[in-house]
Amino acid sequence: MSKTVTRTRLAAVAAAATLVALAGCSSSAPSDKASAASCTPAKGKVTLQYWNTVPGMDKVVDLWNKKNPDIQVQTKNISNDQYGTLGNALKAGKAPDLAQVGYDELPALRTQNAFVDASACSAATAAKSKFVPWTWSQTSFGGTGVFALPQDTGPMALYVRSDIFKKYDIAIPTTWDEYAAAAQKLHKADPSLDITFFDPNNAEWFNGLLWQNSAQMYSYSGDKWHVTVTSDQSKQVADYWQKLIAGKLVRTDLANGSTQMYAAYQKDQIASYVGAAWGYSMFRDNLPKQSGKWSIVPIPTWGANGSSGDWGGSTVAFMKGSQHLYESVKFNTWLNSDPEALALENQLGGLYPAADAGLKLPALSKGVPYYNNEKVFDVFADSSRKINTNFAWGPTQKTVNLALQDAMAKAAAGDGTLTDALSAAQAAALKSMKAQAIPATAGK
Amino acid sequence: MTDIAPRAVTSGGRRRPGGGPRAGTVIAFLTPFFLPFVLFYLVPVGYALWQSFRVVRRTGGQYGTSYTTFGGFDQYTQVFQNSEFWNSIGRIGLFGIVQVPVMLFVALIMALLLDTPLLKLKAFFRITAFMPYAVPGVIAAIMWSYLYSPQLSPVVDLFQRIGLHPDFLGPGAVLWSAANVSTWLWTGYNMLIMYSALQSIPQELYEAAKIDGASNWTIAWRIKVPIIAPSIVLTTVFSIIGTLQLYAEPAVLRQISSNISSTFTPNMLAYAVASGNNYQQAAAISVVIAVITFVLSFGFMRLTSKKAGL
C-alpha cells in the first residue's frame, strides 16, 4: 500500500508543478469584435444539429425533413441535463447549430460567448413582427442583435377548483388582496384546506410573480450592471407571501409537479394553483378524476396594476460555431412561427407558442373539455399580452436562483423572511458577477 | 509516469534471473491499464488543477467576451473564505462521525452472525443483505424519498395512526434521513468485505480456541475481530471517502425537501458553482475536497496502522 501512496503522491506533485508552470503563460485577451457572421446559403445539402428538451420534437422535425430535402435536421433530446450538456459542448467546441435555451438563461450563456448573432440574415431581423413583443426583446437583448428565436412562453394565470370555492361561498379572487382574504376564509372553513402552496425550491415561479409586479431586477448603464433584486416591487411580493406563510395559509412542503403535489390536490387539500400556460396539460393528465372541477382565470392583480407575469418558456438559440447560419435561420423561423409546426408542438409537447400566429391557432381557440369546455387559451392569450416587455434577466441568473431558493427554504422553515431571501439573492448576484468579471453595482 | 515502467522491468528481472522480459511485452500488458488511467484519471485531475489556477476576465461591454487567465491562488482564497463551503464540510463531518461507525458496527455484527455455524440459510441472508448495494444510489434515494414523504408514505401513515407525527424531511431530521439511505445502501457491501476476511481465517484457530475453553463470544471478539481488523480499516477508509463525496442521496431528497440547500454537501456546492458557469471556482472546490479526503483517509490509515501495528 505505502508504495502506491508514494507513487501517487509523487505523480500528483509533478503534475501540479507542470500545471502551475503551464498556467503561468496566460492567453492573450481576445478582442471585443462582434463575431462576424455571414449569411450565405450553402452549396448542396446541409445537415443541422438541433438540441432540445421538448417531447415529440422529433416528429416536428420529421415534418420539416420531409419538406426540405436540402436542409436536413437532426435532433437530440437533452432534457436530462440541458445546461450541463450545452455548457460542456460549448467548452469542447462541439455545440450544435441550434439549441433550446430558456429566456432566463440567455444572458448567462451570452456572457459565456455561446451564441452567434444572426442579424446578418435579413430573414432573422424580419422575424421580429411574428413574435409577442417581450419574447423578441429578450432574444434580441433589447435590440443588439438576434441571438435566438422565441419558441414558447408561460403567461401566468390562476387555476381554481371552482367547486370548492362555490362550496364555501367564496368569490373567485381578482386581486392579491382578495386572494389573501379567500385564503383565510378557506382555511377557517376547513383547517385541512389551503388556498395554494409556496414552493421554496422554485425561484422561476417566484421570479414570475416579481415580474408581474414590474420588479426590474437588472439594468445596464454607465458600463455597469445595476442590481436591484431588493426593489420595493419585489419586497411587496415577498411580504405578501411571507404573511401567507407565517399565517400557515399556504403549504410549503410541496414541490411543483411532484407526485406529492398531485397527491395533495387529489385529496382536495388545496383549492387553487398559481400557474402558467404550459401547466394546463399537467392537471389534465395527472388528475383526470377532477375533470370539470377546474377553471382557469386571470392571475390576481396588484390593485390597479393589471399586468401579468411569465413563468418559463424557451427560445431556440443560434449557437456559436454553426457553419450554416442561413439554413439555421430558415429552419428556426419555420419551427417557431409556421402554424403547422406550432400546432404539432402544442399537441405533442404542450408548448404555448411565442409567435402571434400561434396564439390564433384553431386548436387554441376551442374549449378544453377538462376545464368545463372553457376557452382557457383565451385567458393565457390575454395574459401574454399583459406581460411587462422591459423585464430583463441577469447574466448569472442560475446562481442567483439557487441562492434565492436556499434562502426561500429557510424562510419557509421559519428561519428568516422572504425579504431576507431577496437580500441573499442580491448578494449572490453581485458576488457571482464579480467572479465572472462582469462589472456590477447595487442599486439603480 | 516514466519511473514506473523501468521498475516493473527490474522486478520482472528479479523473478527471472535468466533475462528480463522484452520491453514490448511489458508495454503491451500495461497499456490496457495505463491508457484509460491516464485518459480518464490523470488528464481530468490535471485539467481540474489547471482550471483551479485560472480566473475569468472579460473585455468591456454589457456582455463582453470572456477569457481566462492565470489567477494564482485566487480561487483557493475564495474557497477558504466561503462560509457555505465550511458549513457543508461541517455538516458532512457530523454525518460521517455518526453514520460511519453505526454502519460499520452493524456490518461487523452481520458478518460475525453470518460466520457462526448456528445460522441457517446463509446464502439467503448474505444475498439479501448485499442486495441494496446492487441498487443504484439515485434509485435508492428515490425509493426512500417515497417512504419519507408524508403525502405518500405507508410508514408515516402507520406512525400517524398511533398518534406520532414524524417529519423525516424537517430541518433537523433530513440529514439523518440521508444518512439512513447511505447506511441502507452500503452496510451489505461492507459486511461482505468483512465476511470474506472471516472466511479466510483457518478453522484450526477456532478448534484450538475451543480446546482452550473459549466461547463463541470470546472467539468472535478475541480472534475474529482482531484478525479482520485490516478489512475493518479498509471499509472505514472507503466510508470516509464516500462520506466526503456524498451527492446522490441528498441531491435526490432535495427534490422533495426544501430543507436540503443547494450547498448541503461539498460536492453539491461544487456542482451548484459549476452550473453557474464558474468552472474555475468549482475546480478549486473539488481540489480542496480531494485534498481533505486524502488527508483524512490516509491519516486514519496511518493512525490505525501505528496503533495496531498492521
mmCIF file of all heavy atoms in Angstrom, chain B residues 66-99:
data_model
loop_
_atom_site.group_PDB
_atom_site.id
_atom_site.type_symbol
_atom_site.label_atom_id
_atom_site.label_comp_id
_atom_site.label_asym_id
_atom_site.label_seq_id
_atom_site.Cartn_x
_atom_site.Cartn_y
_atom_site.Cartn_z
ATOM 1 N N SER B 66 -15.609 36.721 -22.807
ATOM 2 C CA SER B 66 -14.853 36.233 -21.657
ATOM 3 C C SER B 66 -13.639 35.424 -22.095
ATOM 4 O O SER B 66 -13.621 34.838 -23.168
ATOM 5 C CB SER B 66 -15.757 35.384 -20.772
ATOM 6 O OG SER B 66 -16.069 34.181 -21.426
ATOM 7 N N TYR B 67 -12.626 35.444 -21.268
ATOM 8 C CA TYR B 67 -11.460 34.585 -21.464
ATOM 9 C C TYR B 67 -10.882 34.315 -20.088
ATOM 10 O O TYR B 67 -11.236 34.986 -19.117
ATOM 11 C CB TYR B 67 -10.436 35.264 -22.387
ATOM 12 C CG TYR B 67 -9.924 36.595 -21.889
ATOM 13 C CD1 TYR B 67 -8.744 36.669 -21.149
ATOM 14 C CD2 TYR B 67 -10.631 37.765 -22.139
ATOM 15 C CE1 TYR B 67 -8.291 37.888 -20.681
ATOM 16 C CE2 TYR B 67 -10.182 38.987 -21.666
ATOM 17 C CZ TYR B 67 -9.006 39.055 -20.944
ATOM 18 O OH TYR B 67 -8.574 40.251 -20.468
ATOM 19 N N THR B 68 -10.035 33.310 -19.989
ATOM 20 C CA THR B 68 -9.458 33.023 -18.675
ATOM 21 C C THR B 68 -7.962 33.310 -18.698
ATOM 22 O O THR B 68 -7.324 33.266 -19.745
ATOM 23 C CB THR B 68 -9.677 31.553 -18.260
ATOM 24 O OG1 THR B 68 -9.038 30.717 -19.232
ATOM 25 C CG2 THR B 68 -11.145 31.205 -18.171
ATOM 26 N N THR B 69 -7.463 33.603 -17.522
ATOM 27 C CA THR B 69 -6.037 33.894 -17.413
ATOM 28 C C THR B 69 -5.536 33.347 -16.083
ATOM 29 O O THR B 69 -6.338 32.963 -15.231
ATOM 30 C CB THR B 69 -5.807 35.414 -17.538
ATOM 31 O OG1 THR B 69 -4.411 35.655 -17.458
ATOM 32 C CG2 THR B 69 -6.505 36.166 -16.427
ATOM 33 N N PHE B 70 -4.229 33.309 -15.919
ATOM 34 C CA PHE B 70 -3.662 32.780 -14.677
ATOM 35 C C PHE B 70 -4.059 33.676 -13.501
ATOM 36 O O PHE B 70 -3.933 34.892 -13.580
ATOM 37 C CB PHE B 70 -2.139 32.698 -14.788
ATOM 38 C CG PHE B 70 -1.479 32.172 -13.556
ATOM 39 C CD1 PHE B 70 -1.689 30.853 -13.157
ATOM 40 C CD2 PHE B 70 -0.661 32.986 -12.783
ATOM 41 C CE1 PHE B 70 -1.080 30.360 -12.015
ATOM 42 C CE2 PHE B 70 -0.045 32.497 -11.632
ATOM 43 C CZ PHE B 70 -0.262 31.178 -11.256
ATOM 44 N N GLY B 71 -4.561 33.040 -12.437
ATOM 45 C CA GLY B 71 -5.027 33.852 -11.310
ATOM 46 C C GLY B 71 -4.363 33.508 -9.998
ATOM 47 O O GLY B 71 -4.846 33.902 -8.944
ATOM 48 N N GLY B 72 -3.279 32.738 -10.057
ATOM 49 C CA GLY B 72 -2.619 32.358 -8.816
ATOM 50 C C GLY B 72 -3.552 31.574 -7.916
ATOM 51 O O GLY B 72 -4.320 30.734 -8.383
ATOM 52 N N PHE B 73 -3.514 31.892 -6.631
ATOM 53 C CA PHE B 73 -4.313 31.135 -5.676
ATOM 54 C C PHE B 73 -5.663 31.807 -5.384
ATOM 55 O O PHE B 73 -6.311 31.500 -4.398
ATOM 56 C CB PHE B 73 -3.517 30.918 -4.387
ATOM 57 C CG PHE B 73 -2.428 29.897 -4.557
ATOM 58 C CD1 PHE B 73 -1.149 30.285 -4.914
ATOM 59 C CD2 PHE B 73 -2.703 28.539 -4.397
ATOM 60 C CE1 PHE B 73 -0.139 29.343 -5.105
ATOM 61 C CE2 PHE B 73 -1.709 27.592 -4.583
ATOM 62 C CZ PHE B 73 -0.428 27.986 -4.940
ATOM 63 N N ASP B 74 -6.068 32.723 -6.275
ATOM 64 C CA ASP B 74 -7.341 33.436 -6.113
ATOM 65 C C ASP B 74 -8.512 32.520 -5.805
ATOM 66 O O ASP B 74 -9.272 32.753 -4.865
ATOM 67 C CB ASP B 74 -7.670 34.190 -7.412
ATOM 68 C CG ASP B 74 -7.273 35.642 -7.309
ATOM 69 O OD1 ASP B 74 -6.366 35.917 -6.499
ATOM 70 O OD2 ASP B 74 -7.861 36.465 -8.025
ATOM 71 N N GLN B 75 -8.655 31.483 -6.625
ATOM 72 C CA GLN B 75 -9.806 30.586 -6.461
ATOM 73 C C GLN B 75 -9.737 29.893 -5.103
ATOM 74 O O GLN B 75 -10.762 29.678 -4.456
ATOM 75 C CB GLN B 75 -9.845 29.530 -7.577
ATOM 76 C CG GLN B 75 -9.964 30.102 -8.982
ATOM 77 C CD GLN B 75 -11.284 30.797 -9.245
ATOM 78 O OE1 GLN B 75 -12.179 30.846 -8.389
ATOM 79 N NE2 GLN B 75 -11.425 31.386 -10.425
ATOM 80 N N TYR B 76 -8.522 29.534 -4.685
ATOM 81 C CA TYR B 76 -8.376 28.829 -3.402
ATOM 82 C C TYR B 76 -8.686 29.762 -2.231
ATOM 83 O O TYR B 76 -9.314 29.378 -1.264
ATOM 84 C CB TYR B 76 -6.974 28.228 -3.287
ATOM 85 C CG TYR B 76 -6.818 27.050 -4.214
ATOM 86 C CD1 TYR B 76 -6.242 27.196 -5.467
ATOM 87 C CD2 TYR B 76 -7.321 25.793 -3.860
ATOM 88 C CE1 TYR B 76 -6.145 26.123 -6.344
ATOM 89 C CE2 TYR B 76 -7.225 24.718 -4.718
ATOM 90 C CZ TYR B 76 -6.626 24.894 -5.959
ATOM 91 O OH TYR B 76 -6.552 23.823 -6.813
ATOM 92 N N THR B 77 -8.235 31.030 -2.359
ATOM 93 C CA THR B 77 -8.559 32.002 -1.313
ATOM 94 C C THR B 77 -10.068 32.092 -1.157
ATOM 95 O O THR B 77 -10.604 32.130 -0.047
ATOM 96 C CB THR B 77 -8.005 33.393 -1.700
ATOM 97 O OG1 THR B 77 -6.707 33.207 -2.241
ATOM 98 C CG2 THR B 77 -7.951 34.320 -0.514
ATOM 99 N N GLN B 78 -10.761 32.101 -2.306
ATOM 100 C CA GLN B 78 -12.221 32.198 -2.251
ATOM 101 C C GLN B 78 -12.858 30.974 -1.600
ATOM 102 O O GLN B 78 -13.831 31.098 -0.863
ATOM 103 C CB GLN B 78 -12.792 32.372 -3.659
ATOM 104 C CG GLN B 78 -12.647 33.786 -4.180
ATOM 105 C CD GLN B 78 -13.222 33.907 -5.579
ATOM 106 O OE1 GLN B 78 -14.318 33.452 -5.851
ATOM 107 N NE2 GLN B 78 -12.460 34.511 -6.468
ATOM 108 N N VAL B 79 -12.302 29.813 -1.877
ATOM 109 C CA VAL B 79 -12.843 28.599 -1.248
ATOM 110 C C VAL B 79 -12.700 28.712 0.266
ATOM 111 O O VAL B 79 -13.650 28.474 1.016
ATOM 112 C CB VAL B 79 -12.112 27.326 -1.737
ATOM 113 C CG1 VAL B 79 -12.643 26.094 -1.011
ATOM 114 C CG2 VAL B 79 -12.268 27.155 -3.239
ATOM 115 N N PHE B 80 -11.505 29.119 0.715
ATOM 116 C CA PHE B 80 -11.270 29.158 2.160
ATOM 117 C C PHE B 80 -12.094 30.241 2.843
ATOM 118 O O PHE B 80 -12.395 30.142 4.018
ATOM 119 C CB PHE B 80 -9.774 29.339 2.450
ATOM 120 C CG PHE B 80 -8.960 28.135 2.040
ATOM 121 C CD1 PHE B 80 -7.883 28.248 1.169
ATOM 122 C CD2 PHE B 80 -9.313 26.868 2.503
ATOM 123 C CE1 PHE B 80 -7.160 27.132 0.780
ATOM 124 C CE2 PHE B 80 -8.592 25.739 2.118
ATOM 125 C CZ PHE B 80 -7.518 25.875 1.249
ATOM 126 N N GLN B 81 -12.474 31.267 2.075
ATOM 127 C CA GLN B 81 -13.285 32.339 2.660
ATOM 128 C C GLN B 81 -14.782 32.079 2.533
ATOM 129 O O GLN B 81 -15.584 32.850 3.025
ATOM 130 C CB GLN B 81 -12.953 33.666 1.969
ATOM 131 C CG GLN B 81 -11.602 34.206 2.398
ATOM 132 C CD GLN B 81 -11.183 35.409 1.567
ATOM 133 O OE1 GLN B 81 -11.827 35.730 0.575
ATOM 134 N NE2 GLN B 81 -10.115 36.072 1.969
ATOM 135 N N ASN B 82 -15.138 30.986 1.859
ATOM 136 C CA ASN B 82 -16.544 30.712 1.590
ATOM 137 C C ASN B 82 -17.187 29.984 2.778
ATOM 138 O O ASN B 82 -16.911 28.813 3.031
ATOM 139 C CB ASN B 82 -16.656 29.863 0.316
ATOM 140 C CG ASN B 82 -18.090 29.680 -0.124
ATOM 141 O OD1 ASN B 82 -19.023 29.983 0.628
ATOM 142 N ND2 ASN B 82 -18.263 29.185 -1.324
ATOM 143 N N SER B 83 -18.054 30.693 3.509
ATOM 144 C CA SER B 83 -18.650 30.072 4.695
ATOM 145 C C SER B 83 -19.541 28.890 4.308
ATOM 146 O O SER B 83 -19.651 27.915 5.049
ATOM 147 C CB SER B 83 -19.445 31.104 5.478
ATOM 148 O OG SER B 83 -20.434 31.676 4.650
ATOM 149 N N GLU B 84 -20.166 28.955 3.110
ATOM 150 C CA GLU B 84 -21.002 27.841 2.660
ATOM 151 C C GLU B 84 -20.178 26.558 2.553
ATOM 152 O O GLU B 84 -20.641 25.473 2.869
ATOM 153 C CB GLU B 84 -21.615 28.144 1.288
ATOM 154 C CG GLU B 84 -22.629 29.264 1.280
ATOM 155 C CD GLU B 84 -23.888 28.914 2.052
ATOM 156 O OE1 GLU B 84 -24.184 27.711 2.182
ATOM 157 O OE2 GLU B 84 -24.559 29.840 2.536
ATOM 158 N N PHE B 85 -18.940 26.721 2.087
ATOM 159 C CA PHE B 85 -18.070 25.558 1.947
ATOM 160 C C PHE B 85 -17.797 24.916 3.306
ATOM 161 O O PHE B 85 -17.947 23.710 3.489
ATOM 162 C CB PHE B 85 -16.758 25.947 1.263
ATOM 163 C CG PHE B 85 -15.783 24.808 1.142
ATOM 164 C CD1 PHE B 85 -15.979 23.828 0.189
ATOM 165 C CD2 PHE B 85 -14.688 24.714 1.988
ATOM 166 C CE1 PHE B 85 -15.098 22.757 0.072
ATOM 167 C CE2 PHE B 85 -13.796 23.650 1.883
ATOM 168 C CZ PHE B 85 -14.003 22.669 0.917
ATOM 169 N N TRP B 86 -17.429 25.748 4.276
ATOM 170 C CA TRP B 86 -17.104 25.194 5.600
ATOM 171 C C TRP B 86 -18.345 24.642 6.290
ATOM 172 O O TRP B 86 -18.269 23.655 7.013
ATOM 173 C CB TRP B 86 -16.392 26.235 6.457
ATOM 174 C CG TRP B 86 -15.062 26.563 5.858
ATOM 175 C CD1 TRP B 86 -14.670 27.748 5.302
ATOM 176 C CD2 TRP B 86 -13.947 25.664 5.689
ATOM 177 N NE1 TRP B 86 -13.395 27.643 4.807
ATOM 178 C CE2 TRP B 86 -12.923 26.380 5.022
ATOM 179 C CE3 TRP B 86 -13.721 24.323 6.016
ATOM 180 C CZ2 TRP B 86 -11.699 25.806 4.698
ATOM 181 C CZ3 TRP B 86 -12.495 23.749 5.696
ATOM 182 C CH2 TRP B 86 -11.505 24.489 5.042
ATOM 183 N N ASN B 87 -19.514 25.294 6.030
ATOM 184 C CA ASN B 87 -20.753 24.742 6.576
ATOM 185 C C ASN B 87 -21.010 23.341 6.033
ATOM 186 O O ASN B 87 -21.411 22.442 6.769
ATOM 187 C CB ASN B 87 -21.949 25.637 6.190
ATOM 188 C CG ASN B 87 -21.951 26.931 6.979
ATOM 189 O OD1 ASN B 87 -21.258 27.044 7.992
ATOM 190 N ND2 ASN B 87 -22.707 27.905 6.507
ATOM 191 N N SER B 88 -20.771 23.179 4.714
ATOM 192 C CA SER B 88 -21.040 21.875 4.111
ATOM 193 C C SER B 88 -20.057 20.830 4.637
ATOM 194 O O SER B 88 -20.430 19.681 4.880
ATOM 195 C CB SER B 88 -20.995 21.963 2.585
ATOM 196 O OG SER B 88 -19.680 22.184 2.133
ATOM 197 N N ILE B 89 -18.809 21.253 4.859
ATOM 198 C CA ILE B 89 -17.819 20.319 5.413
ATOM 199 C C ILE B 89 -18.235 19.930 6.839
ATOM 200 O O ILE B 89 -18.183 18.754 7.225
ATOM 201 C CB ILE B 89 -16.403 20.966 5.434
ATOM 202 C CG1 ILE B 89 -15.873 21.126 3.999
ATOM 203 C CG2 ILE B 89 -15.439 20.151 6.286
ATOM 204 C CD1 ILE B 89 -15.283 19.887 3.386
ATOM 205 N N GLY B 90 -18.685 20.905 7.606
ATOM 206 C CA GLY B 90 -19.116 20.635 8.972
ATOM 207 C C GLY B 90 -20.295 19.668 9.003
ATOM 208 O O GLY B 90 -20.327 18.711 9.791
ATOM 209 N N ARG B 91 -21.246 19.910 8.094
ATOM 210 C CA ARG B 91 -22.442 19.076 8.026
ATOM 211 C C ARG B 91 -22.062 17.633 7.700
ATOM 212 O O ARG B 91 -22.513 16.680 8.329
ATOM 213 C CB ARG B 91 -23.336 19.640 6.922
ATOM 214 C CG ARG B 91 -24.784 19.307 7.048
ATOM 215 C CD ARG B 91 -25.584 20.057 6.000
ATOM 216 N NE ARG B 91 -25.753 21.455 6.303
ATOM 217 C CZ ARG B 91 -25.423 22.458 5.478
ATOM 218 N NH1 ARG B 91 -24.896 22.194 4.298
ATOM 219 N NH2 ARG B 91 -25.613 23.702 5.830
ATOM 220 N N ILE B 92 -21.152 17.505 6.735
ATOM 221 C CA ILE B 92 -20.757 16.179 6.289
ATOM 222 C C ILE B 92 -19.904 15.498 7.363
ATOM 223 O O ILE B 92 -19.926 14.281 7.516
ATOM 224 C CB ILE B 92 -20.026 16.312 4.930
ATOM 225 C CG1 ILE B 92 -20.431 15.195 4.016
ATOM 226 C CG2 ILE B 92 -18.556 16.361 5.056
ATOM 227 C CD1 ILE B 92 -21.853 15.280 3.641
ATOM 228 N N GLY B 93 -19.169 16.313 8.126
ATOM 229 C CA GLY B 93 -18.368 15.774 9.228
ATOM 230 C C GLY B 93 -19.261 15.140 10.279
ATOM 231 O O GLY B 93 -19.030 14.002 10.717
ATOM 232 N N LEU B 94 -20.324 15.863 10.610
ATOM 233 C CA LEU B 94 -21.287 15.356 11.586
ATOM 234 C C LEU B 94 -21.936 14.073 11.071
ATOM 235 O O LEU B 94 -22.071 13.077 11.795
ATOM 236 C CB LEU B 94 -22.346 16.439 11.817
ATOM 237 C CG LEU B 94 -23.436 16.156 12.840
ATOM 238 C CD1 LEU B 94 -22.825 16.043 14.224
ATOM 239 C CD2 LEU B 94 -24.486 17.276 12.823
ATOM 240 N N PHE B 95 -22.290 14.118 9.803
ATOM 241 C CA PHE B 95 -22.884 12.961 9.130
ATOM 242 C C PHE B 95 -21.958 11.751 9.260
ATOM 243 O O PHE B 95 -22.364 10.683 9.704
ATOM 244 C CB PHE B 95 -23.089 13.329 7.655
ATOM 245 C CG PHE B 95 -23.633 12.243 6.765
ATOM 246 C CD1 PHE B 95 -24.959 12.259 6.358
ATOM 247 C CD2 PHE B 95 -22.813 11.220 6.283
ATOM 248 C CE1 PHE B 95 -25.470 11.294 5.516
ATOM 249 C CE2 PHE B 95 -23.313 10.237 5.452
ATOM 250 C CZ PHE B 95 -24.640 10.274 5.068
ATOM 251 N N GLY B 96 -20.674 11.953 8.925
ATOM 252 C CA GLY B 96 -19.714 10.847 8.907
ATOM 253 C C GLY B 96 -19.427 10.301 10.294
ATOM 254 O O GLY B 96 -19.357 9.080 10.493
ATOM 255 N N ILE B 97 -19.309 11.193 11.273
ATOM 256 C CA ILE B 97 -18.972 10.766 12.631
ATOM 257 C C ILE B 97 -20.059 9.856 13.189
ATOM 258 O O ILE B 97 -19.786 8.917 13.942
ATOM 259 C CB ILE B 97 -18.741 12.008 13.548
ATOM 260 C CG1 ILE B 97 -17.390 12.631 13.210
ATOM 261 C CG2 ILE B 97 -18.802 11.631 15.015
ATOM 262 C CD1 ILE B 97 -17.158 13.974 13.870
ATOM 263 N N VAL B 98 -21.304 10.100 12.790
ATOM 264 C CA VAL B 98 -22.392 9.261 13.267
ATOM 265 C C VAL B 98 -22.638 8.063 12.339
ATOM 266 O O VAL B 98 -22.707 6.923 12.778
ATOM 267 C CB VAL B 98 -23.696 10.088 13.419
ATOM 268 C CG1 VAL B 98 -24.850 9.200 13.823
ATOM 269 C CG2 VAL B 98 -23.481 11.210 14.410
ATOM 270 N N GLN B 99 -22.724 8.356 11.049
ATOM 271 C CA GLN B 99 -23.155 7.308 10.120
ATOM 272 C C GLN B 99 -22.128 6.199 9.943
ATOM 273 O O GLN B 99 -22.481 5.022 9.934
ATOM 274 C CB GLN B 99 -23.497 7.941 8.762
ATOM 275 C CG GLN B 99 -24.191 7.004 7.784
ATOM 276 C CD GLN B 99 -23.229 6.401 6.769
ATOM 277 O OE1 GLN B 99 -22.111 6.887 6.612
ATOM 278 N NE2 GLN B 99 -23.642 5.326 6.125
#
